[in-house]
Amino acid sequence: MLQRYAVLGNPIKHSRSPQIHQLFATQFGHQLQYDAIELPIGRFSESLRDLVEQGLKGANVTVPFKQDALAFADAQTERARLAGAANTLVFEEGRTLADNTDGAGLVSDLQRLYGALSDTHVVLIGAGGAARGVVLPLFNAGVGKITLMNRTLERAYELADMFAEHGDICAISINAVTEKPADIIVNCTSSSLHGELPGVSAELFRGVAFAYDMFYSDDKTTFLLFAEDAQPNIRTADGIGMLVGQAAESYRLWWGVEPDVAKVIESLRP
Ligand code: NDP
């Protein structure tokens, strides 16, 4: 039987989620209808209730509705609650479960590209929704220390306080350097969207093995070019694998199977 899923956002036209979920469905021979649906701003709950009545089984949720999605649900996973946002909804027997799979997407991509995360030191640049969503999953994957940096330092302090009971976490200003080089630096800001740099110093990358930009594009991002310039031999990657990874985790929740992520990432590359 054809099962209906969707990604909900505004705007949503350019979402790659329908393509990714169809590629997963092909791997398992599932019959799937997965649409990109633009919901009107300010009418998330009413619009979603209509879709659920029409038979929607699950949804991915993106900007600007991730907080609305969390509030809509009857139950929330811990990682969604701590992220303060949901990107995945499951509709079952008249109830809605909210989850957040962004952090799992980042963790699986770092493990694929860098290796085991146990006892690593990870620097997160940014303190917005994306950074907040990945802190707990990184600690749960064994990361030993997280240093937060943000243009607005106060927001980094707030995040560090929020997660202090979950692991070794601190905040430093955006142009500071860590005492010892980090193992991995992740750009969780939206600076690359506008071809800008987040304001960190080149020195931050000295001795660092791996730099990751959550933003993804067909061309190498300004942040990754900066990292390669600052530290020759540094390995770099953008966030396309995180996107596929979060989709795979949603797919697992809905269908109970684990898609082959690497194959799908490969087919999305230009
Ligand atoms: P938010 O709007 O919640 O946060 C934006 C963050 O970026 C803040 O920390 C802000 O700093 C910082 N920032 C923005 N512009 C600049 C700049 N020019 N210089 C320095 N800092 C800047 O966005 P999100 O956290 O939701 O998303 C961040 C990025 O992550 C986006 O590019 C998004 O596309 C990407 N993302 C990728 C995913 C994937 O699957 N690959 C999943 C989720 C997000 P300040 O606090 O000072 O304003």
Side-chain angles (χ1 to χ4, degrees), residues 202-203 205-209 225-235:
E203 218 177 304
F205 295 88
R206 302 272 151 76
V208 172
L225 289 170
F226 182 73
E228 287 173 0
D229 207 37
Q231 173 62 45
N233 302 327
I234 196 169
R235 287 182 295 131

Side-chain angles (χ1 to χ4, degrees), residues 6-10 12 37 39 44 48 51 56 59-62 65:
V7 58
L8 315 173
N10 187 331
I12 199 64
I37 302 178
L39 298 187
F44 178 81
L48 181 53
L51 289 169
L56 197 68
N60 286 127
V61 182
T62 185
F65 299 125

Side-chain angles (χ1 to χ4, degrees), residues 143-162:
V143 166
K145 180 177 171 63
I146 293 178
T147 301
L148 296 166
M149 311 176 82
N150 194 45
R151 180 175 60 181
T152 311
L153 182 58
E154 200 47 46
R155 294 185 77 193
Y157 278 132
E158 280 167 23
L159 268 200
D161 278 352
M162 195 182 290

Side-chain angles (χ1 to χ4, degrees), residues 126-130 150-152 155 188-190 196 198 214-215 239 242-243:
N150 194 45
R151 180 175 60 181
T152 311
R155 294 185 77 193
C188 315
T189 75
S190 39
E196 292 167 3
M214 281 193 183
F215 183 75
M242 174 177 175
L243 179 76

Side-chain angles (χ1 to χ4, degrees), residues 113 209-213 220 223-225 227-228 234-238:
L113 296 165
F210 190 64
Y212 192 93
D213 196 343
K220 194 159 271 193
F223 174 77
L224 297 180
L225 289 170
E228 287 173 0
I234 196 169
R235 287 182 295 131
T236 59
D238 73 14

Side-chain angles (χ1 to χ4, degrees), residues 4 27 30 34 42 58 85 98 126 137 167 169-170 175 177 204 208 241 249-250 262:
R4 280 198 67 196
Q27 290 179 7
H30 291 152
Y34 187 109
I169 186 164
C170 68
N175 52 6
V177 290
L204 180 71
V208 172
E249 180 71 358
S250 300

